């Protein structure tokens, strides 16, 4: 019963925001902690892997056919493998998903501490794109917006713990194989990545 290390290797820049901007300069800022280090939220990681696992079950016909979380109906009696891992309205799942941090988190932390500007953020890139009108699906003139991205070479790492047995780990792995994207704006080419899961020793705290 070891934990899984999650390694996200991107092939394009990624945006994962909080919905907040930076002053009036960046409309969509990257999610950062109080030290200014960009990271991917554990809740979003769980959401992606849950989606992947559900897709895997639907594609292969595995799992409890009575359990249809996508339709708002989960297991009635004993939780199935999917509900054991990801939880259901009847109970929390076993798996605990950490935030994913850059391998170079120290660099981001030090760089952030050295920047005195409240606006400039360490290590990000700002892309300006045209806004698309959702209704007409056409470009809106004079509606540019800016999005902070982290470059593709930054590798993010997190972990999944919670005393998962082999079958439970396997479900997460199968789901991860079906995923190739994290964060916003895949239609604009952002966030393409590989989800690598590596078994690792659990820390003393677990
Ligand atoms: Zn279930």
């Amino acid at each position: 019963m070891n934990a899984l290390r999650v390694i996200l290797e991107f092939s394009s820049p990624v945006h994962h925001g909080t919905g907040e901007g930076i002053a009036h300069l960046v409309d969509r800022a990257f999610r950062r902690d109080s030290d200014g280090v960009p990271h991917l939220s554990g809740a979003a990681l769980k959401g992606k892997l849950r989606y992947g696992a559900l897709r895997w079950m639907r594609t292969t016909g595995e799992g409890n056919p009575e359990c249809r979380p996508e339709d708002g109906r989960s297991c009635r009696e004993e939780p199935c493998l999917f509900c054991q891992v990801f939880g259901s309205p009847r109970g929390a799942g076993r798996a605990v998903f950490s935030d994913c941090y850059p391998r170079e988190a120290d660099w981001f932390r030090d760089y952030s501490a050295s920047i005195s500007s409240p606006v400039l953020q360490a290590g990000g890139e700002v892309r300006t794109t045209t806004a698309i009108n959702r209704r007409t699906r056409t470009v809106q003139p004079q509606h540019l917006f800016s999005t902070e991205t982290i470059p593709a070479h930054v590798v993010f790492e997190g972990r999944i713990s919670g005393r998962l047995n082999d079958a439970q780990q396997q479900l997460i792995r199968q789901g991860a194989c079906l995923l190739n994207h994290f964060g916003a704006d895949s239609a604009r080419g952002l966030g393409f990545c590989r989800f690598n899961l590596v078994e690792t020793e659990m820390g003393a705290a677990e």
Side-chain angles (χ1 to χ4, degrees), residues 15 17-22 26-30:
H15 174 72
T18 58
E20 304 276 306
I22 305 173
V26 179
D27 296 313
R28 300 195 300 172
F30 204 96

Side-chain angles (χ1 to χ4, degrees), residues 45-51 53-54 81-88 91-95 97 171-172:
L45 174 67
K46 177 180 180 179
K48 290 297 290 186
L49 290 168
R50 183 182 184 279
Y51 171 77
L54 198 54
L81 186 61
F82 180 84
C83 293
Q84 289 166 22
V85 173
F86 294 100
S88 74
R94 266 171 172 268
F97 299 81
L171 175 66
I172 298 173

